[in-house]
Amino acid sequence: GIRRKDCNVLVVGLDNSGKSTVLNHFKSPDCKDSNVVPTIGFSVEKFKYKNVHFTAWDMSGQGRYRNLWEHYYSDCQGVIYVVDSADKLRLAVAKDELDILLKHPEIKSRSLPILVLANKMDLRDALSPVKIVQGLGLDQDLVKDKPWQIAATNALTGDGLAAGADWLSDQIQ
Ligand code: GDP
């Protein structure tokens, strides 16, 4: 959709959830990475697509940099939270990180749309979106005042991404 003004969207989640692969879909062909390299240490990826400024980073193993990334919370209009649906062992960690994000004053106080990508849906042992909703506690208190949506995606092919992005841009407008 066409938005009237620029907006900032955060793309966060644990390492290996598929953030870089998702972002590559929104990049213009000339700046697409042919190879997605896992992020090490604290690094923030930023780029602009149409009038959306994307800012992305890994939450895992970077807790000590939390105060650096919190700085991005105040001026974002939407959050994309990427989850590896096949990573059952770390679903609880993904929930903890999401809770910490949702409890942050800058996030908690606003009715910010949260798009959860239940990514890697193509993998045989991927949990269903319903299970991801339960595992992340999206049916609970912290998100009850926020518009949120879950989209089953395969970031390798792009399946499901457009529907999720459309929902988010409608919410932000
Ligand atoms: P990041 O650490 O969150 O940026 O994750 P990456 O984008 O680097 O992806 C981690 C690994 O998962 C890479 O090997 C990707 O090719 C792979 N991957 C990402 N999305 C999917 C998906 O939807 N399905 C499958 N099967 N693999 C994926």
Side-chain angles (χ1 to χ4, degrees), residues 13-22 36-39 45 58 82 84 118-123 153-157:
L14 302 185
D15 61 289
N16 201 50
S17 55
K19 297 178 299 299
S20 305
T21 313
V22 167
V36 174
V37 182
T39 323
E45 186 175 4
D58 268 340
V82 187
D84 177 347
N119 193 37
K120 306 199 187 182
M121 268 303 147
D122 55 297
L123 294 180
T153 58
N154 173 352
L156 294 180
T157 59

Side-chain angles (χ1 to χ4, degrees), residues 17 25 38 43 48 55 65 68 72 103 125 128 138-139 172:
S17 55
H25 278 272
S43 77
K48 189 179 178 189
T55 304
Y65 300 110
L68 294 180
Y72 295 102
K103 280 178 189 160
D125 52 350
S128 69
L138 290 173
D139 40 5
I172 290 174

Side-chain angles (χ1 to χ4, degrees), residues 83 85 91 116-119 121 126-139 148-153:
V83 179
S85 306
L91 185 57
V116 176
L117 300 185
N119 193 37
M121 268 303 147
L127 292 171
S128 69
V130 172
K131 292 275 185 209
I132 301 290
V133 166
Q134 289 166 351
L136 293 179
L138 290 173
D139 40 5
W148 63 269
Q149 176 87 302
I150 187 147
T153 58

Side-chain angles (χ1 to χ4, degrees), residues 5 17 42 62 80 83 93-94 101 108 119 142 146 154:
K5 38 181 196 170
S17 55
F42 181 66
Q62 301 202 77
I80 298 179
V83 179
V93 182
L101 170 82
K108 195 178 178 186
N119 193 37
L142 282 171
K146 290 188 177 35
N154 173 352

Side-chain angles (χ1 to χ4, degrees), residues 103-122:
K103 280 178 189 160
H104 190 276
E106 291 285 356
I107 303 284
K108 195 178 178 186
S109 60
R110 294 190 290 147
S111 169
L112 199 70
I114 314 277
L115 171 66
V116 176
L117 300 185
N119 193 37
K120 306 199 187 182
M121 268 303 147
D122 55 297

Side-chain angles (χ1 to χ4, degrees), residues 49-70:
Y49 170 73
K50 294 187 178 167
N51 51 349
V52 184
H53 297 267
F54 288 93
T55 304
W57 66 86
D58 268 340
M59 290 176 136
S60 25
Q62 301 202 77
R64 75 193 116 134
Y65 300 110
R66 205 174 286 284
N67 58 335
L68 294 180
W69 79 51
E70 284 175 343

